[in-house]
Amino acid sequence: MPSYLIRYRILSGPDPMTPLSTRIEAGTEQAAIAVLKSAHTGQDIRIEKASPDTPVPRKRKSRKEWIILGLIVVIGAVNLASRWLN
């Protein structure tokens, strides 16, 4: 089950400006928020941010990006070869 990092403030507590954060394992973001609210019943809670705790996978390079990278390498190699021959 994925875990979510939830940043929140307890508005009815002694220090409402102190941000708190907790990790909750739940199926969805809404379920994680519901678990947090059930843990703090009778208190005013403001959810500031709920984000998945798993890292975002790296984006693979597209075909256009590989072609541009190849052109830059070829132009650089031609430039080096022409300088070496002169």
Side-chain angles (χ1 to χ4, degrees):
M1 208 180 311
S3 62
Y4 291 89
L5 180 63
I6 300 177
R7 186 177 165 141
Y8 63 99
R9 296 179 195 261
I10 299 177
L11 300 177
S12 61
D15 191 12
M17 296 308 292
T18 303
L20 303 169
S21 62
T22 186
R23 282 189 174 77
I24 297 177
E25 291 191 15
T28 63
E29 182 179 321
Q30 295 300 324
I33 291 172
V35 168
L36 178 69
K37 286 185 178 180
S38 68
H40 295 285
T41 55
Q43 295 180 333
D44 292 331
I45 295 177
R46 181 174 69 195
I47 306 293
E48 293 183 350
K49 185 178 180 183
S51 59
D53 200 27
T54 56
V56 177
R58 292 183 57 198
K59 181 183 166 265
R60 294 183 53 114
K61 290 193 182 299
S62 67
R63 185 173 182 199
K64 284 192 264 183
E65 290 171 325
W66 282 112
I67 291 172
I68 291 171
L69 181 63
L71 286 173
I72 291 171
V73 169
V74 167
I75 290 170
V78 168
N79 188 15
L80 279 174
S82 68
R83 285 186 182 195
W84 183 63
L85 290 174
N86 286 338

Coordinates of all heavy atoms in Angstrom, one line a residue:
M1 N 0.8 -1.2 0.0 CA 0.0 0.0 0.0 C 0.9 1.2 0.0 O 1.9 1.3 0.7 CB -0.9 0.0 1.3 CG -2.2 0.7 1.0 SD -3.3 0.8 2.4 CE -3.4 -0.8 3.0
P2 N 0.6 2.2 -0.8 CA 1.4 3.4 -0.9 C 1.3 4.3 0.4 O 0.2 4.3 1.1 CB 0.9 4.2 -2.1 CG -0.5 3.7 -2.3 CD -0.5 2.3 -1.8
S3 N 2.3 5.0 0.7 CA 2.2 5.9 1.9 C 2.2 7.3 1.4 O 2.8 7.7 0.4 CB 3.4 5.7 2.9 OG 4.6 6.0 2.2
Y4 N 1.5 8.2 2.2 CA 1.4 9.6 1.9 C 2.0 10.4 3.0 O 1.8 10.1 4.2 CB -0.1 9.9 1.6 CG -0.7 9.3 0.4 CD1 -1.3 8.0 0.5 CD2 -0.6 9.9 -0.8 CE1 -1.8 7.5 -0.7 CE2 -1.1 9.4 -1.9 CZ -1.7 8.1 -1.9 OH -2.2 7.5 -3.0
L5 N 2.6 11.5 2.6 CA 3.1 12.5 3.6 C 2.1 13.6 3.6 O 1.9 14.3 2.6 CB 4.5 13.0 3.1 CG 5.2 14.0 4.1 CD1 5.4 13.4 5.4 CD2 6.5 14.5 3.5
I6 N 1.5 13.8 4.7 CA 0.5 14.8 4.9 C 1.0 15.9 5.8 O 1.4 15.7 6.9 CB -0.8 14.2 5.4 CG1 -1.3 13.2 4.5 CG2 -1.9 15.3 5.6 CD1 -2.6 12.5 5.0
R7 N 1.0 17.2 5.3 CA 1.3 18.3 6.1 C 0.1 19.0 6.5 O -0.8 19.3 5.7 CB 2.2 19.2 5.3 CG 2.8 20.4 6.1 CD 3.7 21.2 5.3 NE 4.0 22.4 5.9 CZ 5.1 23.0 6.0 NH1 6.1 22.5 5.4 NH2 5.2 24.2 6.7
Y8 N -0.1 19.3 7.8 CA -1.3 19.9 8.3 C -1.1 20.7 9.5 O 0.0 20.8 10.1 CB -2.3 18.8 8.7 CG -1.9 17.8 9.8 CD1 -2.3 18.0 11.1 CD2 -1.0 16.8 9.6 CE1 -1.9 17.2 12.1 CE2 -0.6 16.0 10.6 CZ -1.0 16.2 11.9 OH -0.6 15.4 12.9
R9 N -2.1 21.5 9.9 CA -2.1 22.3 11.1 C -3.3 22.0 11.9 O -4.4 21.8 11.4 CB -2.0 23.8 10.8 CG -0.8 24.2 10.1 CD -0.9 25.7 9.8 NE 0.1 26.1 8.8 CZ 1.3 26.7 9.1 NH1 1.6 26.9 10.3 NH2 2.1 27.0 8.1
I10 N -3.1 21.9 13.3 CA -4.3 21.8 14.1 C -4.7 23.2 14.6 O -4.0 23.8 15.4 CB -3.9 20.8 15.3 CG1 -3.6 19.5 14.8 CG2 -5.1 20.8 16.3 CD1 -3.1 18.5 15.9
L11 N -5.8 23.7 14.1 CA -6.2 25.0 14.3 C -6.8 25.2 15.8 O -6.7 26.3 16.3 CB -7.2 25.5 13.3 CG -6.7 25.5 11.9 CD1 -7.8 25.8 10.9 CD2 -5.5 26.4 11.7
S12 N -7.3 24.2 16.3 CA -7.9 24.3 17.7 C -6.9 23.9 18.8 O -7.3 23.9 19.9 CB -9.1 23.4 17.8 OG -8.7 22.0 17.6
G13 N -5.7 23.7 18.4 CA -4.6 23.4 19.4 C -4.0 24.6 20.0 O -4.4 25.7 19.7
P14 N -3.0 24.4 20.9 CA -2.4 25.5 21.6 C -1.6 26.4 20.7 O -1.4 27.6 21.0 CB -1.6 24.9 22.7 CG -1.3 23.5 22.2 CD -2.5 23.1 21.4
D15 N -1.0 25.8 19.7 CA -0.2 26.6 18.7 C -0.6 26.3 17.3 O -0.1 25.4 16.7 CB 1.3 26.3 18.9 CG 2.2 27.2 18.2 OD1 1.7 28.3 17.7 OD2 3.4 26.9 18.1
P16 N -1.6 27.0 16.8 CA -2.2 26.7 15.5 C -1.2 27.0 14.3 O -1.5 26.6 13.2 CB -3.4 27.5 15.4 CG -3.2 28.7 16.4 CD -2.3 28.1 17.4
M17 N -0.2 27.8 14.5 CA 0.7 28.1 13.4 C 1.8 27.1 13.2 O 2.6 27.3 12.3 CB 1.3 29.5 13.6 CG 0.2 30.6 13.7 SD -0.9 30.6 12.2 CE 0.3 31.1 10.9
T18 N 1.9 26.1 14.0 CA 3.0 25.2 13.9 C 2.6 24.1 12.9 O 1.6 23.4 13.1 CB 3.3 24.5 15.3 OG1 3.6 25.5 16.2 CG2 4.4 23.5 15.2
P19 N 3.3 23.9 11.8 CA 3.0 22.9 10.9 C 3.4 21.5 11.4 O 4.5 21.4 12.0 CB 3.7 23.3 9.6 CG 4.9 24.1 10.1 CD 4.4 24.7 11.4
L20 N 2.6 20.5 11.2 CA 2.9 19.2 11.5 C 2.9 18.3 10.3 O 2.2 18.7 9.3 CB 1.8 18.6 12.5 CG 1.6 19.5 13.8 CD1 0.4 19.0 14.5 CD2 2.9 19.3 14.7
S21 N 3.6 17.2 10.3 CA 3.5 16.3 9.2 C 3.6 14.9 9.7 O 4.1 14.6 10.7 CB 4.7 16.6 8.2 OG 5.9 16.3 8.9
T22 N 2.9 14.0 8.9 CA 2.9 12.6 9.3 C 2.8 11.7 8.0 O 2.3 12.2 7.0 CB 1.7 12.3 10.2 OG1 1.8 11.0 10.7 CG2 0.4 12.5 9.5
R23 N 3.3 10.5 8.1 CA 3.2 9.6 7.0 C 2.1 8.6 7.4 O 2.1 8.0 8.4 CB 4.5 8.8 6.9 CG 5.5 9.6 6.2 CD 6.7 8.7 5.8 NE 7.7 9.4 5.0 CZ 8.5 10.3 5.5 NH1 8.5 10.6 6.7 NH2 9.4 10.9 4.7
I24 N 1.2 8.4 6.4 CA 0.1 7.5 6.6 C 0.0 6.5 5.4 O 0.1 7.0 4.2 CB -1.3 8.2 6.7 CG1 -1.2 9.1 8.0 CG2 -2.4 7.3 6.8 CD1 -2.4 10.0 8.2
E25 N -0.1 5.2 5.7 CA -0.3 4.3 4.6 C -1.7 4.1 4.3 O -2.5 3.7 5.2 CB 0.4 2.9 5.0 CG 1.9 3.0 5.0 CD 2.5 1.7 5.1 OE1 1.8 0.6 4.9 OE2 3.7 1.6 5.4
A26 N -2.1 4.4 3.1 CA -3.5 4.2 2.7 C -3.6 4.0 1.2 O -2.6 4.2 0.5 CB -4.3 5.5 3.0
G27 N -4.7 3.6 0.7 CA -4.9 3.3 -0.7 C -4.9 4.5 -1.6 O -4.3 4.5 -2.7
T28 N -5.5 5.6 -1.1 CA -5.6 6.8 -1.9 C -5.3 8.0 -1.0 O -5.2 7.8 0.2 CB -7.0 7.0 -2.5 OG1 -7.9 7.1 -1.5 CG2 -7.3 5.9 -3.5
E29 N -5.1 9.1 -1.6 CA -4.8 10.3 -0.9 C -6.0 10.7 0.0 O -5.9 11.1 1.2 CB -4.5 11.5 -1.8 CG -4.2 12.8 -1.2 CD -3.9 13.9 -2.2 OE1 -3.2 13.5 -3.3 OE2 -4.3 15.0 -2.0
Q30 N -7.2 10.5 -0.5 CA -8.4 10.8 0.3 C -8.6 9.9 1.5 O -9.0 10.3 2.5 CB -9.7 10.7 -0.6 CG -9.7 11.8 -1.7 CD -9.7 13.2 -1.2 OE1 -10.3 13.5 -0.2 NE2 -9.0 14.1 -1.9
A31 N -8.2 8.6 1.3 CA -8.3 7.7 2.4 C -7.3 8.1 3.5 O -7.5 8.0 4.7 CB -8.0 6.3 1.9
A32 N -6.1 8.6 3.1 CA -5.1 9.0 4.1 C -5.6 10.2 4.9 O -5.4 10.3 6.1 CB -3.8 9.3 3.4
I33 N -6.2 11.1 4.2 CA -6.7 12.3 4.9 C -7.8 11.9 5.8 O -7.9 12.4 6.9 CB -7.2 13.3 3.8 CG1 -6.0 13.9 3.1 CG2 -8.1 14.4 4.5 CD1 -6.4 14.8 1.9
A34 N -8.7 10.9 5.4 CA -9.7 10.4 6.3 C -9.2 9.8 7.6 O -9.7 10.0 8.7 CB -10.6 9.5 5.5
V35 N -8.1 9.0 7.4 CA -7.4 8.4 8.6 C -6.9 9.5 9.5 O -7.0 9.4 10.7 CB -6.3 7.4 8.1 CG1 -5.4 7.0 9.3 CG2 -6.9 6.2 7.4
L36 N -6.3 10.5 8.9 CA -5.7 11.6 9.8 C -6.9 12.3 10.5 O -6.7 12.6 11.7 CB -5.0 12.6 8.9 CG -4.4 13.8 9.6 CD1 -3.3 13.4 10.5 CD2 -4.0 14.9 8.6
K37 N -8.0 12.6 9.8 CA -9.1 13.3 10.5 C -9.7 12.4 11.6 O -10.2 12.9 12.6 CB -10.1 13.7 9.5 CG -9.7 14.9 8.6 CD -10.8 15.3 7.7 CE -10.3 16.5 6.9 NZ -11.4 17.0 6.0
S38 N -9.8 11.1 11.3 CA -10.3 10.2 12.4 C -9.4 10.1 13.6 O -9.9 9.9 14.7 CB -10.6 8.8 11.8 OG -9.4 8.2 11.5
A39 N -8.1 10.3 13.4 CA -7.2 10.3 14.5 C -7.3 11.6 15.4 O -6.9 11.6 16.5 CB -5.7 10.1 14.0
H40 N -7.7 12.6 14.8 CA -7.9 13.9 15.4 C -9.3 14.4 15.5 O -9.7 15.4 15.0 CB -7.0 15.0 14.8 CG -5.6 14.7 14.8 ND1 -4.8 14.9 15.9 CD2 -4.7 14.3 13.8 CE1 -3.6 14.6 15.7 NE2 -3.5 14.2 14.4
T41 N -10.2 13.5 16.0 CA -11.6 13.9 16.1 C -11.8 15.0 17.1 O -11.2 15.1 18.1 CB -12.5 12.6 16.5 OG1 -11.9 12.2 17.7 CG2 -12.4 11.6 15.4
G42 N -12.8 15.9 16.7 CA -13.1 17.0 17.6 C -12.1 18.2 17.5 O -12.3 19.1 18.2
Q43 N -11.2 18.1 16.6 CA -10.2 19.2 16.4 C -10.4 19.7 15.0 O -10.6 19.0 14.1 CB -8.8 18.7 16.7 CG -8.5 18.3 18.1 CD -7.1 17.8 18.3 OE1 -6.5 17.4 17.3 NE2 -6.6 17.9 19.5
D44 N -10.1 21.1 14.9 CA -10.1 21.7 13.5 C -8.8 21.4 12.9 O -7.7 21.9 13.5 CB -10.4 23.2 13.6 CG -11.8 23.5 14.1 OD1 -12.7 22.6 13.8 OD2 -12.1 24.5 14.7
I45 N -8.8 20.8 11.8 CA -7.5 20.5 11.1 C -7.5 21.1 9.7 O -8.5 21.1 9.0 CB -7.3 18.9 10.9 CG1 -7.2 18.3 12.3 CG2 -6.1 18.6 10.0 CD1 -7.1 16.8 12.2
R46 N -6.4 21.8 9.3 CA -6.3 22.3 8.0 C -5.2 21.5 7.3 O -4.0 21.6 7.7 CB -5.9 23.8 8.0 CG -5.8 24.4 6.6 CD -5.6 25.9 6.6 NE -4.3 26.2 7.1 CZ -3.9 27.4 7.5 NH1 -4.8 28.4 7.5 NH2 -2.7 27.6 8.0
I47 N -5.6 20.9 6.2 CA -4.6 20.1 5.4 C -3.9 21.1 4.5 O -4.6 21.7 3.7 CB -5.3 19.0 4.6 CG1 -6.2 18.1 5.5 CG2 -4.3 18.2 3.8 CD1 -5.4 17.3 6.5
E48 N -2.6 21.1 4.5 CA -1.9 22.0 3.6 C -1.4 21.3 2.4 O -1.5 21.9 1.3 CB -0.7 22.7 4.4 CG -1.1 23.6 5.5 CD 0.0 24.3 6.1 OE1 1.2 23.8 5.9 OE2 -0.2 25.2 6.9
K49 N -0.9 20.1 2.6 CA -0.3 19.4 1.4 C -0.4 17.9 1.7 O 0.0 17.5 2.8 CB 1.1 19.8 1.2 CG 1.8 19.3 0.0 CD 3.2 19.8 -0.2 CE 3.8 19.2 -1.4 NZ 5.2 19.7 -1.5
A50 N -0.8 17.2 0.7 CA -0.8 15.7 0.8 C -0.1 15.2 -0.5 O -0.6 15.5 -1.6 CB -2.2 15.1 0.9
S51 N 1.0 14.5 -0.3 CA 1.7 14.1 -1.5 C 2.2 12.6 -1.3 O 2.4 12.2 -0.1 CB 3.0 14.9 -1.7 OG 3.8 14.9 -0.6
P52 N 2.2 11.9 -2.4 CA 2.7 10.5 -2.2 C 4.2 10.5 -1.8 O 5.0 11.3 -2.2 CB 2.5 9.9 -3.6 CG 2.2 11.0 -4.5 CD 1.9 12.2 -3.7
D53 N 4.5 9.5 -0.9 CA 5.8 9.4 -0.4 C 6.8 8.7 -1.3 O 8.0 8.8 -1.1 CB 5.7 8.7 1.0 CG 6.9 9.0 1.8 OD1 7.5 10.0 1.7 OD2 7.3 8.1 2.7
T54 N 6.3 8.0 -2.3 CA 7.2 7.3 -3.2 C 7.8 8.3 -4.2 O 7.2 9.3 -4.6 CB 6.4 6.3 -4.1 OG1 5.3 6.9 -4.7 CG2 5.9 5.2 -3.2
P55 N 9.1 8.2 -4.5 CA 9.7 9.1 -5.5 C 9.1 9.0 -6.9 O 8.7 7.9 -7.3 CB 11.2 8.7 -5.5 CG 11.2 7.3 -5.0 CD 10.0 7.1 -4.1
V56 N 9.1 10.1 -7.6 CA 8.6 10.2 -8.9 C 9.6 9.5 -9.8 O 10.8 9.8 -9.8 CB 8.4 11.6 -9.3 CG1 7.9 11.7 -10.8 CG2 7.4 12.3 -8.4
P57 N 9.2 8.6 -10.7 CA 10.1 8.0 -11.6 C 10.7 9.0 -12.6 O 10.1 9.9 -13.0 CB 9.3 6.9 -12.3 CG 7.9 7.3 -12.2 CD 7.8 8.1 -10.9
R58 N 12.0 8.7 -12.9 CA 12.7 9.7 -13.9 C 12.0 9.6 -15.2 O 11.7 8.5 -15.7 CB 14.1 9.3 -14.0 CG 14.9 9.6 -12.7 CD 16.3 9.3 -12.8 NE 16.9 10.1 -13.9 CZ 18.0 9.9 -14.5 NH1 18.8 8.9 -14.1 NH2 18.5 10.6 -15.5
K59 N 11.9 10.7 -15.9 CA 11.3 10.7 -17.2 C 12.4 10.3 -18.2 O 13.5 10.7 -18.2 CB 10.9 12.2 -17.6 CG 10.3 12.3 -18.9 CD 9.9 13.7 -19.2 CE 9.6 13.9 -20.7 NZ 10.8 14.4 -21.4
R60 N 12.0 9.4 -19.1 CA 12.9 8.9 -20.1 C 13.0 9.9 -21.3 O 12.1 10.6 -21.5 CB 12.4 7.6 -20.7 CG 12.5 6.4 -19.7 CD 12.0 5.1 -20.3 NE 12.8 4.9 -21.5 CZ 13.7 3.9 -21.6 NH1 13.8 3.0 -20.6 NH2 14.3 3.7 -22.7
K61 N 14.1 9.9 -21.9 CA 14.3 10.9 -23.0 C 13.4 10.4 -24.2 O 13.4 9.3 -24.5 CB 15.8 11.0 -23.4 CG 16.7 11.6 -22.4 CD 18.0 11.9 -23.1 CE 18.9 12.6 -22.1 NZ 18.6 13.8 -21.6
S62 N 12.8 11.4 -24.9 CA 12.0 11.1 -26.0 C 12.9 11.0 -27.3 O 14.1 11.3 -27.2 CB 11.0 12.2 -26.3 OG 11.7 13.4 -26.6
R63 N 12.4 10.6 -28.4 CA 13.1 10.4 -29.6 C 13.7 11.7 -30.1 O 14.9 11.7 -30.5 CB 12.2 9.7 -30.6 CG 13.0 9.4 -31.9 CD 12.1 8.7 -32.9 NE 12.9 8.3 -34.0 CZ 12.4 8.0 -35.2 NH1 11.1 7.9 -35.3 NH2 13.2 7.7 -36.2
K64 N 12.9 12.8 -30.0 CA 13.4 14.1 -30.4 C 14.7 14.5 -29.6 O 15.6 15.0 -30.1 CB 12.3 15.1 -30.3 CG 11.3 15.1 -31.4 CD 10.4 16.3 -31.4 CE 9.2 16.0 -30.6 NZ 8.2 17.1 -30.5
E65 N 14.6 14.3 -28.3 CA 15.7 14.6 -27.4 C 17.0 13.9 -27.8 O 18.1 14.4 -27.8 CB 15.4 14.4 -26.0 CG 14.3 15.4 -25.4 CD 13.9 15.1 -24.1 OE1 13.7 13.9 -23.7 OE2 13.6 16.0 -23.3
W66 N 16.9 12.6 -28.1 CA 18.0 11.8 -28.5 C 18.6 12.3 -29.8 O 19.8 12.3 -30.0 CB 17.6 10.3 -28.6 CG 17.6 9.6 -27.3 CD1 16.5 9.1 -26.7 CD2 18.6 9.3 -26.4 NE1 16.8 8.6 -25.4 CE2 18.1 8.7 -25.2 CE3 20.0 9.6 -26.4 CZ2 18.9 8.3 -24.2 CZ3 20.8 9.2 -25.3 CH2 20.2 8.5 -24.3
I67 N 17.7 12.6 -30.8 CA 18.2 13.1 -32.1 C 19.0 14.4 -31.9 O 20.0 14.6 -32.5 CB 17.0 13.3 -33.0 CG1 16.5 11.9 -33.4 CG2 17.4 14.1 -34.3 CD1 15.2 12.0 -34.2
I68 N 18.4 15.3 -31.1 CA 19.1 16.6 -30.8 C 20.5 16.4 -30.1 O 21.5 17.0 -30.5 CB 18.2 17.6 -30.0 CG1 17.0 18.0 -30.8 CG2 19.0 18.8 -29.5 CD1 16.0 18.8 -30.1
L69 N 20.5 15.5 -29.1 CA 21.7 15.2 -28.5 C 22.7 14.6 -29.4 O 23.9 14.9 -29.4 CB 21.5 14.2 -27.3 CG 22.7 13.8 -26.5 CD1 23.3 15.0 -25.8 CD2 22.3 12.7 -25.5
G70 N 22.3 13.7 -30.3 CA 23.2 13.1 -31.3 C 23.7 14.2 -32.3 O 24.9 14.1 -32.6
L71 N 22.9 15.1 -32.7 CA 23.4 16.2 -33.6 C 24.4 17.1 -32.9 O 25.4 17.4 -33.5 CB 22.2 17.1 -34.0 CG 21.3 16.5 -35.1 CD1 20.1 17.4 -35.3 CD2 22.1 16.3 -36.4
I72 N 24.2 17.4 -31.6 CA 25.2 18.2 -30.9 C 26.5 17.4 -30.8 O 27.6 18.0 -31.0 CB 24.7 18.5 -29.5 CG1 23.5 19.5 -29.6 CG2 25.7 19.1 -28.6 CD1 22.7 19.8 -28.4
V73 N 26.5 16.1 -30.5 CA 27.7 15.3 -30.4 C 28.4 15.3 -31.8 O 29.6 15.4 -31.9 CB 27.4 13.9 -29.9 CG1 28.6 13.0 -30.1 CG2 27.0 14.0 -28.5
V74 N 27.7 15.1 -32.9 CA 28.3 15.0 -34.2 C 28.9 16.4 -34.6 O 30.0 16.4 -35.1 CB 27.2 14.6 -35.3 CG1 27.7 14.8 -36.7 CG2 26.9 13.1 -35.0
I75 N 28.2 17.5 -34.3 CA 28.8 18.8 -34.6 C 30.0 19.0 -33.8 O 31.0 19.6 -34.3 CB 27.7 19.9 -34.4 CG1 26.6 19.8 -35.4 CG2 28.3 21.3 -34.4 CD1 25.4 20.6 -35.1
G76 N 30.0 18.6 -32.5 CA 31.2 18.8 -31.7 C 32.4 18.0 -32.2 O 33.5 18.4 -32.2
A77 N 32.1 16.7 -32.7 CA 33.1 15.8 -33.2 C 33.7 16.4 -34.5 O 34.9 16.4 -34.7 CB 32.6 14.4 -33.4
V78 N 32.9 16.9 -35.4 CA 33.4 17.5 -36.6 C 34.2 18.8 -36.3 O 35.3 19.0 -36.9 CB 32.2 17.9 -37.5 CG1 32.6 18.8 -38.7 CG2 31.5 16.6 -38.0
N79 N 33.8 19.6 -35.3 CA 34.6 20.7 -34.9 C 35.9 20.3 -34.4 O 37.0 20.9 -34.8 CB 33.8 21.5 -33.9 CG 34.4 22.8 -33.6 OD1 35.3 23.3 -34.3 ND2 34.0 23.4 -32.4
L80 N 36.0 19.3 -33.5 CA 37.3 18.8 -33.0 C 38.1 18.3 -34.1 O 39.4 18.5 -34.2 CB 37.0 17.8 -32.0 CG 36.7 18.3 -30.6 CD1 36.3 17.1 -29.6 CD2 37.8 19.0 -30.0
A81 N 37.5 17.5 -35.0 CA 38.3 16.9 -36.1 C 38.9 18.0 -37.0 O 40.1 17.9 -37.5 CB 37.4 16.0 -36.9
S82 N 38.1 19.1 -37.3 CA 38.6 20.1 -38.2 C 39.7 20.9 -37.5 O 40.7 21.3 -38.1 CB 37.5 21.1 -38.6 OG 37.0 21.8 -37.5
R83 N 39.7 21.1 -36.2 CA 40.7 21.8 -35.5 C 42.0 20.9 -35.4 O 43.1 21.4 -35.5 CB 40.3 22.1 -34.0 CG 39.3 23.2 -33.9 CD 39.1 23.6 -32.5 NE 38.1 24.6 -32.4 CZ 37.9 25.3 -31.3 NH1 38.6 25.0 -30.2 NH2 37.0 26.3 -31.3
W84 N 41.8 19.6 -35.3 CA 42.9 18.7 -35.2 C 43.7 18.6 -36.6 O 44.9 18.5 -36.6 CB 42.4 17.3 -34.8 CG 43.5 16.3 -34.6 CD1 44.5 16.4 -33.7 CD2 43.7 15.1 -35.3 NE1 45.3 15.3 -33.7 CE2 44.8 14.5 -34.8 CE3 43.0 14.6 -36.4 CZ2 45.3 13.3 -35.3 CZ3 43.5 13.4 -36.9 CH2 44.6 12.7 -36.3
L85 N 42.9 18.7 -37.6 CA 43.5 18.6 -39.0 C 44.2 19.9 -39.4 O 45.1 19.9 -40.2 CB 42.5 18.2 -40.0 CG 42.0 16.7 -39.9 CD1 40.8 16.5 -40.9 CD2 43.1 15.7 -40.1
N86 N 43.8 21.0 -38.8 CA 44.4 22.3 -39.2 C 45.6 22.5 -38.4 O 46.4 22.6 -37.9 CB 43.4 23.5 -39.0 CG 42.4 23.5 -40.1 OD1 42.6 22.9 -41.2 ND2 41.3 24.1 -39.8

